[in-house]
Amino acid sequence: MPTTSERARLDPYTAQAENNDLTLQEKIKDLHTIINAAKTGMLVTRNTDGNLHSRAMNPASPLDDTQLNLVFLANNVSGKFEEIEHDSNVNVSFFDSSTTSWVSYAGKARVTQDKDLIHKYWSTFVTGYIGDLKDGVHQGDADDPRVSAIEVIPDEIHYWFTTKGTVARTVQVAASAATGKVTAPGELRTITKEEVGTSFRS
């Protein structure tokens, strides 16, 4: 494996783009900006055969100012719940196509039927995904026994935050390509495991 200095020489893009000088709250603010713009994330789980499965899901909102965990409301009869039970390690990614900013969560998923949590984040849009079975029990509401919350508690969050507009990014990258110099029209940021712990304790 290359040394830190050798890695920086061979991967100048990452070395230039990394920004480790922001406060945790500054990083959370821009993280939320990307998630709110992207709206839909890809939740990745692993099945018993070791295969990775991803599916598009919308995190419950709004996000609290210091919130790092993600909450998804879903039908607990679906296969992703079996996969989480088998292996709670998950990834959630977001991509904002308008800016090219992206987010990658690595963490653990916890399944709960905590009614306070479900009612806090309930949206009638969930009904459209699970339906009212007209049996007096499975009515597609917040008290439907099929509704569970998947809470993703991050171990670490990596994200790219674009700091240039579309035109400026294009000009900057084109100029760098012409001169052979590396450019980074944005910043790579990490919310570390230690920072996640600080956020949850605060």
Side-chain angles (χ1 to χ4, degrees):
M1 294 293 291
T3 62
T4 300
S5 59
E6 185 69 356
R7 190 190 304 275
R9 185 182 75 83
L10 295 174
D11 185 9
Y13 172 82
T14 298
Q16 182 175 328
E18 284 183 332
N19 183 353
N20 300 313
D21 297 326
L22 298 173
T23 66
L24 175 57
Q25 193 53 48
E26 286 173 328
K27 288 192 276 190
I28 294 175
K29 177 178 179 291
D30 290 337
L31 170 72
H32 287 178
T33 296
I34 301 170
I35 293 174
N36 288 330
K39 293 183 174 61
T40 301
M42 298 298 293
L43 171 65
V44 181
T45 55
R46 188 188 302 274
N47 71 4
T48 54
D49 294 325
N51 297 317
L52 297 173
H53 294 155
S54 61
R55 74 284 292 163
M57 297 188 70
N58 295 334
S61 59
L63 297 170
D64 296 333
D65 289 344
T66 60
Q67 182 177 337
L68 288 176
N69 62 318
L70 298 169
V71 177
F72 301 94
L73 300 182
N75 187 340
N76 54 39
V77 182
S78 62
K80 57 184 165 286
F81 284 86
E82 292 181 11
E83 295 181 355
I84 291 171
E85 183 178 1
H86 163 70
D87 186 347
S88 63
N89 292 284
V90 299
N91 175 269
V92 184
S93 61
F94 298 88
F95 178 67
D96 177 10
S97 60
S98 67
T99 63
T100 73
S101 295
W102 55 262
V103 174
S104 178
Y105 271 71
K108 303 287 193 305
R110 181 179 74 94
V111 174
T112 178
Q113 284 193 302
D114 183 312
K115 290 303 180 184
D116 289 338
L117 185 67
I118 291 172
H119 278 272
K120 176 181 178 180
Y121 291 113
W122 178 255
S123 166
T124 54
F125 282 104
V126 179
T127 304
Y129 289 100
I130 64 175
D132 180 355
L133 302 187
K134 307 297 183 182
D135 61 4
V137 177
H138 305 95
Q139 300 181 69
D141 58 13
D143 295 312
D144 190 314
R146 294 173 296 166
V147 176
S148 287
I150 300 172
E151 182 180 15
V152 176
I153 301 168
D155 290 323
E156 193 173 61
I157 304 168
H158 293 276
Y159 72 94
W160 163 266
F161 188 73
T162 303
T163 56
K164 306 282 187 181
T166 302
V167 174
R169 286 201 310 273
T170 302
V171 171
Q172 186 173 334
V173 171
S176 295
T179 61
K181 294 181 179 179
V182 171
T183 185
E187 297 177 352
L188 285 171
R189 303 174 182 177
T190 299
I191 298 177
T192 66
K193 189 169 187 175
E194 291 72 25
E195 289 176 314
V196 171
T198 298
S199 176
F200 274 91
R201 287 192 296 270
S202 62

